[in-house]
């Protein structure tokens, strides 16, 4: 049995659960039980059915449902864990009532590996990559595809749906989230969740709330003004919860304004349940529960992964009246009504081999829509496959595959890690946490397939002199650079590690046609940007990443991705010069998980100024602004019409003025009246418009009143401030050729 002290560099508790469960047990998928009782009447509403079951349940059965079955090595585990499907979490069903086992799995970018080694699922591009597609339809399709594979593998609950906004650009988990803008992130996560749930799988949104850094994540106290909280982090959740209707909300590890997120009456009871009317259940992050009575009364409905606080202790608290029986019934009702609403009771799904080929298509489309062209001097790209004679491919293990983010969301690479790490012992059950994983989609091979007549060499980039010589000998140099990020730790700096900047500079000096492909979890510093002729931000592009990169490089697909995060020019330009950390020794990735460590504060005094709002307000020029991304064609904007008054409506025209078809992410920003006290502008709506060469389309938009509102802390309400507004439209947050003034009458 593995003891906590043995963990090194751990990145995901859920994945630990899965691994350890696998070590101890032969996992089996819980068989769906035969329907019994009047609650099986599908004509009744989920709430009616939940109430009928509740009436039948004993106290012990209710308690069984409100906590996980445990985790070997981390306190007592229920023997029933042998039935687990090897995912991040397991709650046994109740056969006599026809309630199925709850098999949960992490699924940010695909059904995560968990403990069952050798189980294939499609590795989609990172979640931040998906955000860079700015395409709600794509987010839904990706969610639906992930939901399908979860179901095919025997899981009925997704633990994906990360939507913490990029407040801290160095956050190791930004890769699992949807960027820095709450309206963009909230809308995309909503579609993703709807997609997952369309497959009869219960969806999740996480990590609620303000879990915006990994440094000291188990004991960081996020200190944040109420209005700021509501207009930034919580706004993304508000949109995600209201539009996406997830079955579960996962409360986070950290504290918010002095109270643990999983026992926070304000965020859980008052905002999520009462104000937003969330009918599902609040599930704790793994070991994120800190009390019984306080947590139960504050709105936590289910403890994971075990029942340290919500098993015997909760039973006693209910018996003594410290937790009213009605509150326990409320917890159980929320779980049951979600089970009925989702279909997992009525239509348990058979397991299947995932549809690998369809997965390739979805993954490649997602990668092609999300890779961002940051620079393309003198139309260096697309490369012409028929005429290019020689290409030097350099660095980034491009001969083997593409990089992946690390942690509990890790999708097992097909055929094993494409770049095995000699420092990681493969028989170490914790290897998944410490190794840097590559998916076997080699950009080099894809480039060779795309340009079969060109001479294509590969240099690993370990010796900049040799790489420069290879570059000099070729028509074009394509350099791959990597920045690995993962759960459980943050970056010290956005700079590329391991001398890669020097490598690029040396190659660029040797060949004027140098193209750089960046694989990163989030923004990076590109100090050599002026010296190279083209730059692609490819994120972690998934199982078809190599093919997508080649397709775009050679113009077989057009770029349409735009940044969902600002790329700063320097770390020093960020709101916090360093990631907030406790005084003294840097916390290890497991500090505070099972032991009690005094909290430290991260004071988010940048207020509403997150991402581009910070750069705008502070008048700092970013290296690449939010919303930016080039295309192989060009677009023009015209004819902005805006109607104000009691609501905001607008229309404008986008035209493809270039020689080939493409998609443009047309963005609309709003400046509020000075009396609103807001940053200079905010994104309020966008549309991804597909246009043939020469084609024009008029986009018409009605703006959700929430997106033009400000949160008034004194009345605890959203309100529209009366006054003069400015509406701006264009291709990025920094280039907004159209603008119009409009007045709004204001409202509550
Ligand atoms: C992570 C969650 C994950 C859970 C279960 C935790 O460590 O923070 O995001 O869903 O483990 O694997």
């Amino acid at each position: 049995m593995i003891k906590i002290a043995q963990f090194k560099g751990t990145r995901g508790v859920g994945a630990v659960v899965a691994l350890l469960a696998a070590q101890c047990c032969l996992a089996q998928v819980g068989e769906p039980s035969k329907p019994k009782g009047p609650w099986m009447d599908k004509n009744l509403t989920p709430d009616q059915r939940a109430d009928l079951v509740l009436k039948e349940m004993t106290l012990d059965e209710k308690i069984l449902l409100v906590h996980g079955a445990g985790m070997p090595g981390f306190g007592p585990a229920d023997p029933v864990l042998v039935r687990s499907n090897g995912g991040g979490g397991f709650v046994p069903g109740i056969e006599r009532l026809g309630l199925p086992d709850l098999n949960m799995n992490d699924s940010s970018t695909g059904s995560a590996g968990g403990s069952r080694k050798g189980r294939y699922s499609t590795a989609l591009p990172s979640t931040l990559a998906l955000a860079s597609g700015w395409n709600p339809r794509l987010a839904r399709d990706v969610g639906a595809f992930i939901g399908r594979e979860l179901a095919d593998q025997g899981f009925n609950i997704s633990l994906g749906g990360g939507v913490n906004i990029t407040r801290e650009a160095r956050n190791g988990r930004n890769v699992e989230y949807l960027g820095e803008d709450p309206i963009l992130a909230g809308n995309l996560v909503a579609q993703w969740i709807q997609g997952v749930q369309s497959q009869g799988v219960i969806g999740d949104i996480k990590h609620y709330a303000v879990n915006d850094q990994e440094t000291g994540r188990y004991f960081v106290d996020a200190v944040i003004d109420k209005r700021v909280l509501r207009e930034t982090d919580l706004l993304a959740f508000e949109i995600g919860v209201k539009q996406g209707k997830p079955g579960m909300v996962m409360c986070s590890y950290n504290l918010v304004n002095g109270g643990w997120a999983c026992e926070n009456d304000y965020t859980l009871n008052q905002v999520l349940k009462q104000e937003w009317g969330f009918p599902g259940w609040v599930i704790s992050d793994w070991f994120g529960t800190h009390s019984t009575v306080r947590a139960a009364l504050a709105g936590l409905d289910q403890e994971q992964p075990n029942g340290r606080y919500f098993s015997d202790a909760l039973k006693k608290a209910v018996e003594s009246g410290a937790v009213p029986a009605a509150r326990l019934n409320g917890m159980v009702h929320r779980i049951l009504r979600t089970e009925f609403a989702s279909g997992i009771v009525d239509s348990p799904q058979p397991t299947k081999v995932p549809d690998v080929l369809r997965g390739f298509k979805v993954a490649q489309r997602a990668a092609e829509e999300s890779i961002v062209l940051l620079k393309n001097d003198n139309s260096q790209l697309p490369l012409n496959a028929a005429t290019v004679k020689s290409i030097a491919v350099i660095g980034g293990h491009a001969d083997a595959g593409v990089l992946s983010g690390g942690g509990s969301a890790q999708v097992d690479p097909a055929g094993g890690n494409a770049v095995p790490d000699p420092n990681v012992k493969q028989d170490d059950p914790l290897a998944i946490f410490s190794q840097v994983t590559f998916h076997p989609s080699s950009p080099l091979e894809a480039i060779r397939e795309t340009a079969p007549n060109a001479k294509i060499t590969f240099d690993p980039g370990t010796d900049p002199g040799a790489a420069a010589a290879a570059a000099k000998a070729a028509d074009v140099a394509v350099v791959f650079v990597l920045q690995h990020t993962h759960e459980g730790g943050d970056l010290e700096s956005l700079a590329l590690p391991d001398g890669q900047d020097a490598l690029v500079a040396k190659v660029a000096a040797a060949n004027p046609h140098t193209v750089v492909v960046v694989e990163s979890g989030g923004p990076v510093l590109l100090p050599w940007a002026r010296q190279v002729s083209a730059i692609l931000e490819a994120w972690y592009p998934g199982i078809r990443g190599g093919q997508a990169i080649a397709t775009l490089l050679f113009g077989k697909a057009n770029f349409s991705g735009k940044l969902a995060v600002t790329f700063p020019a320097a770390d020093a330009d960020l709101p916090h010069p360093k990631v907030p950390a406790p005084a003294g020794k840097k916390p290890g990735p497991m500090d505070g998980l099972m032991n009690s460590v005094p909290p430290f504060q991260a004071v988010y005094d940048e207020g509403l100024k997150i991402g581009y709002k910070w750069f705008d307000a502070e008048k700092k020029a970013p290296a690449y602004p939010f919303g930016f991304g080039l295309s192989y064609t060009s677009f023009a904007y015209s004819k902005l019409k805006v109607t104000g008054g009691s609501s905001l409506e607008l229309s404008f025209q986008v035209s493809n003025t270039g020689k080939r078809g493409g998609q443009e992410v047309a963005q609309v920003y709003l400046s509020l009246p000075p009396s609103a006290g807001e940053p200079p502008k905010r994104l309020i709506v966008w549309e991804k418009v597909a246009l043939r060469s020469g084609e024009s389309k008029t986009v018409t938009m009605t703006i959700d009143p929430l997106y033009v509102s400000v949160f008034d802390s004194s009345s605890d309400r959203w309100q529209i401030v009366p006054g003069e507004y400015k509406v701006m439209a264009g291709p990025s947050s920094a280039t907004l050729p159209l603008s119009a003034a409009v007045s709004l009458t204001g409202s509550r």
Side-chain angles (χ1 to χ4, degrees):
M1 196 146 295
I2 288 150
K3 292 278 167 341
I4 186 88
Q6 289 175 270
F7 282 91
K8 272 197 219 113
T10 296
R11 287 160 191 169
V13 181
V16 181
V17 178
L19 275 167
L20 295 175
Q23 285 204 322
C24 85
C25 329
L26 249 187
Q28 275 175 16
V29 185
E31 281 297 310
S33 313
K34 292 270 174 305
K36 297 179 180 74
W39 54 87
M40 286 302 172
D41 180 353
K42 293 183 201 162
N43 295 317
L44 300 175
T45 66
D47 289 305
Q48 289 169 326
R49 296 175 72 180
D51 285 339
L52 286 168
V53 189
L54 251 170
K55 280 195 202 136
E56 298 289 321
M57 290 174 85
T58 64
L59 178 57
D60 284 333
E61 283 172 336
K62 292 176 188 173
I63 293 289
L64 203 65
L65 225 56
V66 296
H67 65 84
M71 173 175 180
F74 287 80
D78 193 311
V80 79
L81 200 58
V82 292
R83 289 218 305 267
S84 161
N85 190 32
F90 178 74
V91 177
I94 303 172
E95 204 182 343
R96 77 173 188 95
L97 301 172
L99 301 175
D101 288 348
L102 300 181
N103 272 297
M104 313 180 172
N105 203 24
D106 283 296
S107 56
S108 302
T109 57
S111 183
S115 63
R116 293 266 190 93
K117 287 288 158 204
R119 209 164 26 178
Y120 178 84
S121 66
T122 304
L124 278 306
S126 71
T127 317
L128 184 60
L130 186 63
S132 317
W134 292 64
N135 186 343
R137 179 75 230 176
L138 176 69
R140 195 189 157 92
D141 290 351
V142 164
F145 188 77
I146 291 176
R148 179 86 320 268
E149 286 201 345
L150 284 167
D152 290 349
Q153 289 190 339
F155 295 104
N156 50 16
I157 298 192
S158 151
L159 297 175
V163 74
N164 297 83
I165 59 171
T166 310
R167 172 186 297 284
E168 171 49 71
R170 290 154 296 204
N171 177 359
R173 265 189 125 170
N174 284 337
V175 60
E176 281 187 67
Y177 306 141
L178 290 152
E180 68 193 28
D181 185 86
I183 294 178
L184 176 65
N187 276 274
L188 293 177
V189 82
Q191 290 304 315
W192 190 92
I193 292 164
Q194 282 196 19
V196 169
Q197 298 197 150
S198 72
Q199 302 303 303
V201 168
I202 295 174
D204 175 40
I205 191 168
K206 70 185 186 184
H207 306 87
Y208 187 71
V210 209
N211 181 186
D212 295 344
Q213 63 177 56
E214 290 295 284
T215 303
R217 67 171 171 162
Y218 306 114
F219 56 107
V220 57
D221 179 10
V223 178
I224 185 165
D225 168 79
K226 194 197 228 183
R227 169 174 173 187
V228 173
L229 175 67
R230 296 301 305 266
E231 290 190 25
T232 60
D233 290 73
L234 259 53
L235 178 56
F237 280 94
E238 178 164 0
I239 299 166
V241 167
K242 287 182 176 167
Q243 292 182 23
K245 304 192 181 359
M248 305 190 314
V249 172
M250 187 189 290
C251 52
S252 55
Y253 285 127
N254 54 293
L255 302 93
V256 182
N257 292 331
W260 295 108
C262 287
E263 54 181 53
N264 197 306
D265 185 72
Y266 178 67
T267 52
L268 301 181
N269 275 341
Q270 295 178 42
V271 176
L272 174 68
K273 291 184 175 177
Q274 282 153 28
E275 201 186 310
W276 300 346
F278 171 64
W281 87 88
V282 175
I283 181 173
S284 78
D285 200 343
W286 270 229
F287 299 105
T289 308
H290 293 267
S291 62
T292 302
V293 177
R294 261 200 327 271
L297 297 183
L300 178 66
D301 299 307
Q302 190 181 66
E303 178 185 10
Q304 288 293 348
N306 61 14
R308 179 169 176 200
Y309 296 103
F310 272 29
S311 180
D312 293 349
L314 182 60
K315 187 176 171 189
K316 283 201 188 90
V318 171
E319 283 166 344
S320 75
V323 171
R327 172 64 191 122
L328 177 64
N329 286 345
M331 297 167 160
V332 176
H333 178 98
R334 286 171 174 277
I335 298 168
L336 292 174
R337 66 95 52 211
T338 308
E339 290 190 26
F340 286 118
S342 69
I344 69 168
V345 180
D346 301 325
S347 323
Q349 304 193 44
T351 53
K352 280 192 229 131
V353 175
D355 187 342
V356 179
L357 298 182
R358 207 177 129 236
F360 275 16
K361 283 194 191 133
V362 178
Q364 187 160 338
R365 174 181 156 221
E368 286 172 1
E369 281 215 35
S370 65
I371 295 174
V372 182
L373 182 61
L374 293 176
K375 178 171 182 179
N376 191 18
D377 271 6
N378 307 318
S379 299
Q380 164 78 47
L381 297 176
L383 301 173
N384 187 328
T387 57
V388 67
K389 292 207 172 51
S390 55
I391 304 175
V393 177
I394 295 163
H397 297 287
D399 55 331
V402 289
L403 189 57
S404 156
S408 50
Q410 181 70 61
V411 172
D412 265 359
N417 194 347
V419 183
D421 183 343
N423 299 317
V424 173
K425 290 199 196 83
Q426 291 308 312
D427 58 351
D428 176 358
L430 301 178
I432 187 172
F433 302 122
S434 44
Q435 77 188 357
V436 178
T437 302
F438 288 77
H439 291 293
S441 169
S442 156
L444 174 68
E445 270 174 34
I447 289 169
R448 285 199 168 128
E449 276 165 27
T450 316
N453 300 324
K455 180 182 168 215
I456 295 165
T457 58
F458 179 70
D459 179 282
T462 39
D463 170 356
K472 204 174 178 121
D475 287 353
V476 181
V478 184
V479 193
F480 287 79
V481 291
L482 310 174
Q483 169 75 281
H484 185 245
T485 61
H486 58 81
E487 184 180 342
D490 298 320
L491 294 169
E492 294 271 323
S493 161
L494 298 178
L496 293 171
D498 307 328
Q500 294 178 97
D501 287 337
L503 170 70
V504 176
K506 198 108 196 197
V507 170
N511 189 325
H513 304 294
T514 294
V515 179
V516 182
V517 180
V518 184
E519 292 169 29
S520 69
V524 285
L525 304 179
L526 309 170
W528 31 257
R530 280 182 197 196
Q531 292 148 254
V532 302
S533 49
I535 307 172
L536 276 67
E537 172 54 70
W539 315 110
Y540 300 147
I543 190 66
R544 296 292 284 175
Q547 288 80 2
I549 290 166
T551 305
L552 289 163
L553 281 174
F554 288 93
K556 292 187 184 301
N558 197 351
F559 289 91
S560 66
K562 300 219 179 183
L563 297 179
V565 283
T566 303
F567 275 42
D571 289 317
D573 290 347
L574 294 169
H576 302 269
K578 283 190 170 2
V579 178
K585 202 173 142 258
K586 199 179 155 207
M590 297 298 276
D591 283 357
L593 177 69
M594 303 283 287
N595 54 336
S596 169
V597 177
F600 70 100
Q601 293 191 331
V603 181
Y604 291 130
D605 50 10
E606 67 277 10
L608 298 168
K609 297 181 285 182
I610 291 176
Y612 63 93
K613 294 169 186 164
W614 168 263
F615 285 81
D616 274 0
E618 300 293 315
K619 300 197 167 38
K620 289 178 195 284
Y624 294 97
F626 175 80
F628 177 76
L630 301 169
S631 161
Y632 288 143
T633 187
S634 51
F635 300 98
Y637 288 72
S638 60
K639 302 186 185 157
L640 175 65
K641 291 197 193 92
V642 183
T643 320
S646 57
S647 66
L648 180 58
E649 280 151 39
L650 56 100
S651 67
F652 58 94
Q653 188 173 293
V654 191
S655 309
N656 183 340
T657 52
K659 292 202 177 67
R660 59 175 292 173
Q663 295 190 80
E664 168 70 336
V665 178
Q667 301 157 47
V668 181
Y669 294 80
L670 183 74
S671 289
L672 282 78
S675 63
E678 288 285 307
K681 64 174 181 283
R682 61 163 77 154
L683 176 77
I684 49 167
V685 71
W686 73 94
E687 192 164 316
K688 194 159 190 174
V689 196
L691 293 166
R692 292 187 302 273
S693 169
E695 194 186 3
S696 294
K697 269 186 197 160
T698 299
V699 290
T700 305
M701 297 149 160
T702 302
I703 312 303
D704 187 324
L706 180 64
Y707 305 164
V708 303
S709 296
V710 300
F711 191 79
D712 177 28
S713 303
S714 53
S715 63
D716 257 336
R717 275 168 203 250
W718 289 100
Q719 63 176 49
I720 297 175
V721 176
E724 281 285 302
Y725 288 71
K726 190 169 154 200
V727 173
M728 295 157 284
S732 89
S733 67
T735 307
L736 296 163
L738 304 181
S739 77
V742 65
S743 64
L744 295 180
T745 48
S747 74
R748 286 209 150 182

